[in-house]
mmCIF file of all heavy atoms in Angstrom:
data_model
loop_
_atom_site.group_PDB
_atom_site.id
_atom_site.type_symbol
_atom_site.label_atom_id
_atom_site.label_comp_id
_atom_site.label_asym_id
_atom_site.label_seq_id
_atom_site.Cartn_x
_atom_site.Cartn_y
_atom_site.Cartn_z
ATOM 1 N N ARG A 25 100.609 79.565 115.933
ATOM 2 C CA ARG A 25 99.244 80.076 116.111
ATOM 3 C C ARG A 25 99.091 80.722 117.473
ATOM 4 O O ARG A 25 98.507 81.777 117.613
ATOM 5 C CB ARG A 25 98.235 78.936 116.009
ATOM 6 C CG ARG A 25 97.799 78.699 114.615
ATOM 7 C CD ARG A 25 96.312 78.346 114.571
ATOM 8 N NE ARG A 25 95.997 78.045 113.185
ATOM 9 C CZ ARG A 25 95.533 76.883 112.768
ATOM 10 N NH1 ARG A 25 95.277 75.933 113.636
ATOM 11 N NH2 ARG A 25 95.299 76.684 111.500
ATOM 12 N N ASP A 83 88.115 133.331 85.421
ATOM 13 C CA ASP A 83 88.432 132.264 84.463
ATOM 14 C C ASP A 83 89.808 131.650 84.708
ATOM 15 O O ASP A 83 89.976 130.431 84.694
ATOM 16 C CB ASP A 83 88.373 132.804 83.029
ATOM 17 C CG ASP A 83 86.939 133.020 82.601
ATOM 18 O OD1 ASP A 83 86.036 132.559 83.347
ATOM 19 O OD2 ASP A 83 86.715 133.647 81.558
ATOM 20 N N SER A 100 98.347 110.696 90.401
ATOM 21 C CA SER A 100 97.700 109.641 91.170
ATOM 22 C C SER A 100 97.687 108.333 90.382
ATOM 23 O O SER A 100 97.925 107.255 90.931
ATOM 24 C CB SER A 100 96.279 110.083 91.520
ATOM 25 O OG SER A 100 95.656 109.100 92.293
ATOM 26 N N ILE A 168 121.525 108.499 129.403
ATOM 27 C CA ILE A 168 120.632 109.571 128.942
ATOM 28 C C ILE A 168 120.315 110.597 130.017
ATOM 29 O O ILE A 168 119.427 111.424 129.849
ATOM 30 C CB ILE A 168 119.302 108.988 128.404
ATOM 31 C CG1 ILE A 168 118.687 108.042 129.434
ATOM 32 C CG2 ILE A 168 119.492 108.284 127.085
ATOM 33 C CD1 ILE A 168 117.198 107.883 129.248
ATOM 34 N N GLU A 359 122.290 92.813 103.012
ATOM 35 C CA GLU A 359 122.026 91.712 102.091
ATOM 36 C C GLU A 359 121.454 90.478 102.765
ATOM 37 O O GLU A 359 120.549 89.838 102.247
ATOM 38 C CB GLU A 359 123.320 91.331 101.365
ATOM 39 C CG GLU A 359 123.691 92.327 100.301
ATOM 40 C CD GLU A 359 125.098 92.072 99.822
ATOM 41 O OE1 GLU A 359 126.045 92.615 100.415
ATOM 42 O OE2 GLU A 359 125.245 91.316 98.861
ATOM 43 N N ALA A 469 135.755 127.157 116.220
ATOM 44 C CA ALA A 469 136.288 126.303 117.279
ATOM 45 C C ALA A 469 135.510 126.653 118.538
ATOM 46 O O ALA A 469 135.324 127.817 118.851
ATOM 47 C CB ALA A 469 137.762 126.574 117.483
ATOM 48 N N ASP A 560 119.382 85.708 111.425
ATOM 49 C CA ASP A 560 119.599 86.214 112.781
ATOM 50 C C ASP A 560 118.368 86.916 113.323
ATOM 51 O O ASP A 560 118.248 87.127 114.515
ATOM 52 C CB ASP A 560 120.796 87.171 112.808
ATOM 53 C CG ASP A 560 122.103 86.412 112.973
ATOM 54 O OD1 ASP A 560 122.063 85.256 113.413
ATOM 55 O OD2 ASP A 560 123.170 86.982 112.653
ATOM 56 N N ALA A 572 118.684 68.346 88.011
ATOM 57 C CA ALA A 572 119.557 67.770 86.996
ATOM 58 C C ALA A 572 120.795 68.619 86.735
ATOM 59 O O ALA A 572 121.708 68.210 86.027
ATOM 60 C CB ALA A 572 118.769 67.605 85.698
ATOM 61 N N ALA A 577 126.698 78.473 86.930
ATOM 62 C CA ALA A 577 126.186 79.504 86.018
ATOM 63 C C ALA A 577 124.733 79.220 85.659
ATOM 64 O O ALA A 577 123.893 80.118 85.656
ATOM 65 C CB ALA A 577 127.045 79.563 84.751
ATOM 66 N N GLN A 683 106.545 75.528 86.865
ATOM 67 C CA GLN A 683 106.307 76.169 85.567
ATOM 68 C C GLN A 683 107.605 76.304 84.772
ATOM 69 O O GLN A 683 107.657 76.021 83.581
ATOM 70 C CB GLN A 683 105.711 77.543 85.828
ATOM 71 C CG GLN A 683 105.207 78.263 84.602
ATOM 72 C CD GLN A 683 104.680 79.643 85.002
ATOM 73 O OE1 GLN A 683 104.078 79.788 86.072
ATOM 74 N NE2 GLN A 683 104.926 80.636 84.170
#
Side-chain angles (χ1 to χ4, degrees):
R25 272 218 184 120
D83 286 350
S100 182
I168 52 157
E359 285 168 272
D560 275 341
Q683 189 182 323

